[in-house]
Amino acid sequence: MAIGTNGLVIRRVKKIKKGGHHGGAWKIALADFALAMMALFLVLWIMSVASPEELKSIEGYFQDPMGQSTAGFSANPIDLGGSPAKSAEKKLDLQLPDPGSVDVPSRDDRLGNGPDSAESKSINDMLQEEVGKMNVLLSQQQNMRIEITPLGVRITLLDDPDKPMFERGSARMMPDIENTLLTMSPIFNKVSNPIVITGHTDSSKFNGGRLDNWDLSALRANAARRILEEGGVPDKRIAQVIGLSDSVPYNRFDTESAENRRISITLLTDDAYKKLLDQNRRNFGDAAQQPSVKLTPEAVF
């Protein structure tokens, strides 16, 4: 077509679609790179803290992961003992005992209030020595037991039918047991351990009007507390006063035996006292702080 004419010119433009959104491919590549860097620094850290034997074991593991290493060690992962700091000698303490080669302490021993704890033994030795020195009536010495228990040292005063500790059906103490407690009060003041006092009766039913064995055991335990405080034991030392009736017989083969009528005074160890406080807070503390547990008769029975 000649220039200058009024003809129509059509221009065709070919559009080329460019690449769309790349998506998350770059994130995967970045994660792979970060993982590779972490593995690199982990290997460098192991090489810096491992001993020559461990380096040989690692080398053998990568040469034959499913078999024995060239250093003669197992192909299992190596225990480096946690995250040890780098040492000048570049070796770890691998002298660990094999499982089962050492005695595992019992739960009481780990807590420090077991029958063999040093605290209970020292208190027991002191009590045995002081009781031997003091002028206590022979009748009371024969009915006194000093024992080491998981809670601490327990002093038990057993009843005697010929010389009872209390008037029958009453919490009024006889002079002998009252003098014994007054004499022992200064001994208890030689230590600062908290004290738990429990009262016990035998299984024979007591028909004393409104009083029963539960009342008697509680009243007698509280009477012992008052005598100890008169002897100089501070009130803040008393951690608990309990009446247990005949629920815990001393002579379980003869529940009506006189020795089941007794007063027990326990000097608690520190750990036993902490557990007692924690248990009391959980069981008898503010209900708002306790977990809300909804129980139905079907769930309980």
Side-chain angles (χ1 to χ4, degrees):
M1 181 181 292
I3 298 177
T5 63
N6 292 329
L8 181 62
V9 178
I10 298 176
R11 185 180 177 183
R12 298 181 182 276
V13 179
K14 185 177 181 181
K15 294 183 178 181
I16 302 175
K17 289 186 178 181
K18 297 182 180 180
H21 195 332
H22 292 286
W26 67 273
K27 299 179 182 178
I28 298 177
L30 180 61
D32 291 340
F33 176 75
L35 182 61
M37 293 299 295
M38 183 182 67
L40 172 63
F41 286 117
L42 181 60
V43 171
L44 294 177
W45 172 75
I46 292 177
M47 293 178 63
S48 65
V49 300
S51 63
E53 292 80 7
E54 292 174 331
L55 293 176
K56 278 290 186 181
S57 180
I58 296 174
E59 178 186 354
Y61 176 78
F62 281 104
Q63 290 179 358
D64 186 10
M66 301 303 297
Q68 295 293 326
S69 66
T70 57
F73 295 95
S74 172
N76 294 330
I78 299 175
D79 183 9
L80 296 178
S83 301
K86 182 177 179 180
S87 62
E89 299 179 357
K90 296 184 65 176
K91 64 180 181 179
L92 303 176
D93 184 12
L94 299 179
Q95 304 299 324
L96 299 176
D98 296 331
S101 61
V102 296
D103 295 333
V104 179
S106 65
R107 182 173 181 272
D108 287 341
D109 293 336
R110 290 197 306 269
L111 293 175
N113 64 339
D116 297 328
S117 66
E119 184 179 1
S120 296
K121 279 190 173 182
S122 63
I123 298 175
N124 179 70
D125 294 341
M126 184 273 296
L127 289 175
Q128 295 283 2
E129 181 180 358
E130 294 297 332
V131 169
K133 291 180 181 178
M134 71 180 186
N135 185 19
V136 182
L137 297 176
L138 293 178
S139 60
Q140 296 299 333
Q141 279 187 328
Q142 294 174 354
N143 294 327
M144 181 185 299
R145 304 286 187 270
I146 302 178
E147 302 161 314
I148 296 179
T149 71
L151 295 180
V153 179
R154 182 180 64 199
I155 300 95
T156 304
L157 300 174
L158 306 174
D159 198 11
D160 187 347
D162 297 331
K163 287 190 175 182
M165 295 190 297
F166 296 90
E167 293 182 3
R168 181 171 178 81
S170 170
R172 182 176 299 175
M173 281 189 176
M174 294 298 187
D176 286 348
I177 183 62
E178 186 172 341
N179 292 335
T180 299
L181 292 176
L182 289 174
T183 306
M184 294 182 66
S185 296
I187 300 177
F188 293 152
N189 285 334
K190 292 181 179 292
V191 293
S192 59
N193 299 68
I195 297 174
V196 171
I197 305 174
T198 57
H200 306 263
T201 64
D202 56 22
S203 62
S204 58
K205 299 300 180 181
F206 172 70
N207 297 322
R210 296 183 178 180
L211 293 179
D212 57 13
N213 286 340
W214 287 103
D215 298 318
L216 280 178
S217 60
L219 291 173
R220 290 175 176 179
N222 205 35
R225 175 193 62 82
R226 287 195 296 267
I227 297 300
L228 290 179
E229 291 180 1
E230 288 180 10
V233 176
D235 176 70
K236 62 181 181 180
R237 291 272 309 277
I238 307 299
Q240 203 170 45
V241 179
I242 315 173
L244 294 177
S245 184
D246 60 339
S247 60
V248 188
Y250 195 82
N251 184 353
R252 56 190 177 90
F253 299 103
D254 184 7
T255 57
E256 295 186 358
S257 174
E259 58 186 349
N260 290 326
R261 303 189 296 269
R262 66 195 189 277
I263 296 293
S264 295
I265 304 170
T266 304
L267 300 177
L268 298 177
T269 62
D270 291 339
D271 289 326
Y273 181 53
K274 291 176 183 177
K275 289 198 300 183
L276 176 64
L277 288 180
D278 184 62
Q279 179 181 354
N280 289 342
R281 292 191 188 102
R282 291 197 311 267
N283 294 339
F284 312 112
D286 185 5
Q289 300 178 359
Q290 306 299 324
S292 56
V293 180
K294 295 182 179 180
L295 298 178
T296 61
E298 293 79 7
V300 176
F301 302 102

